[in-house]
Amino acid sequence: MSEKVIEVQDLVKVYKDVTAVDKISFDVYQGEIFSLVGPNGAGKTTTVEILECLRNPTEGDAKVLGFDVRKDEKEIKKRIGVMPQEFNAFERLTVKENVELIAKIYGVKPDIENILRELGVWEAKNRQFHKLSGGMQRRVGICMALASDPELLFLDEPTTGLDPQARKETWEVIRTLKKMGKTVFLTSHYMEEVERLCDRAGVMVKGKLIATDKIRNLISKYGGGIKVSVEGRNIEKAEKMLKSFTEKVLHEKNTVIGKFKTREEASKALAQLYQLSDGYKIEITEGGMDDVFSQLTGGRVDDRGELI
Ligand code: ATP
């Protein structure tokens, strides 16, 4: 395992009568894309803002890049890049001017052309911020977060409100950050986003962190396994074959469904099924982060981030 860049131990944040963060512990490793995922009000932003030294914790400990969030605010702020939720920039300034401004504030001289090129906004460098699409604005926000050449970036809900295409393009930008060697900490309420983009995630609900692990481990533990569904005539043959690989076989009319714990188990059965063939229609469905979330919490998160 690589080096820990964030270490959180029994972190608590209480606002008057609300416990926004309720004794959570997790680590983030160098070079990974990590996400806190959960519905609105789960405590994600509060956690991020404590790590960015914008809020004080009520109890517990948190270290960022080896520095204590209570004592080493200056050291931490020098080394991180931040794109807040509902981020904004100077509307009338151009893309390049906005990034230059951040560099000036930090007193640094980054290679702005390189940043804008890497993140695909060089062509738009002379356009005013307010004239850009939502997706391009987020890219500029990420460029601004990169201006101080941080080791670690915090992106709070980086794709909320974007259309599906712009969301996918933003994922590409975030993958570029990882290729540049940065560690990315993001928050999200989109399960698909976390599944497609992140290396590890912590599932957060009502201030509590329910599970933290690699995405593939979360899915294999809580995703409900892999379903192989076979439809056709002479289905009994397929049923018998599936039963030789798994005890979990359901038969409904002309369809049989076999459930498998792992991909390896499913692929052994599939290899035999394809040999039998007999004109079967075969469908494979694998559990995802949506299933993980509902298995862990009994609920789902809708597109707006509400728990349903
Ligand atoms: P969202 O995406 O809606 O911001 P979140 O998971 O980031 O959700 P937080 O914003 O951290 O959650 O909020 C967690 C809880 O703390 C919520 O109940 C929220 O109303 C409450 N809260 C957040 N900030 C404050 C504050 N400054 N004062 C009082 N309560 C707050």
Side-chain angles (χ1 to χ4, degrees), residues 13-21 38-49 55 85-86 156-157 160 187-189 204 206-207 304-306:
K13 177 70 182 180
V14 180
Y15 300 109
K16 287 188 185 156
D17 50 355
V18 180
T19 303
V21 175
N40 298 337
K44 306 179 301 290
T45 299
T46 300
T47 306
V48 168
E49 290 182 350
R55 293 179 193 272
Q85 206 176 119
E86 290 158 19
D156 195 359
E157 306 242 358
T160 295
T187 68
S188 182
H189 61 252
M204 197 167 183
K206 293 183 186 148
R304 290 167 298 125
E306 298 302 329

Side-chain angles (χ1 to χ4, degrees), residues 13 21 62 78 86 129 144 158 170 172 176 197-198 237 250 278:
K13 177 70 182 180
V21 175
K78 264 199 287 194
E86 290 158 19
F129 183 79
M144 288 162 71
T170 309
E172 262 329 297
T176 304
L197 180 63
C198 298
K237 249 191 340 189
L250 285 169
D278 241 352

Side-chain angles (χ1 to χ4, degrees), residues 128-184:
Q128 286 181 315
F129 183 79
H130 72 109
K131 293 199 174 142
L132 303 174
S133 66
M136 280 300 267
Q137 290 190 340
R138 300 290 166 97
R139 273 183 206 220
V140 175
I142 298 175
C143 289
M144 288 162 71
L146 269 180
S148 60
D149 194 22
E151 295 169 51
L152 167 64
L153 282 118
F154 290 98
L155 311 176
D156 195 359
E157 306 242 358
T159 66
T160 295
L162 297 183
D163 62 57
Q165 183 55 31
R167 184 169 302 147
K168 283 188 187 134
E169 287 166 12
T170 309
W171 296 347
E172 262 329 297
V173 171
I174 296 172
R175 289 189 188 110
T176 304
L177 299 175
K178 178 176 158 131
K179 282 186 204 140
M180 292 163 89
K182 311 287 180 192
T183 307
V184 181

Side-chain angles (χ1 to χ4, degrees), residues 230-231 235 239 249-257:
V230 189
E231 192 187 325
I235 203 67
E239 182 180 8
V249 179
L250 285 169
H251 188 162
E252 274 175 22
K253 293 183 189 159
N254 59 346
T255 304
V256 279
I257 297 171

Side-chain angles (χ1 to χ4, degrees), residues 198-217:
C198 298
D199 299 299
R200 289 170 62 251
V203 179
M204 197 167 183
V205 179
K206 293 183 186 148
K208 293 201 189 293
L209 203 51
I210 307 172
T212 310
D213 211 332
K214 289 185 179 162
I215 302 301
R216 64 169 179 272
N217 293 347

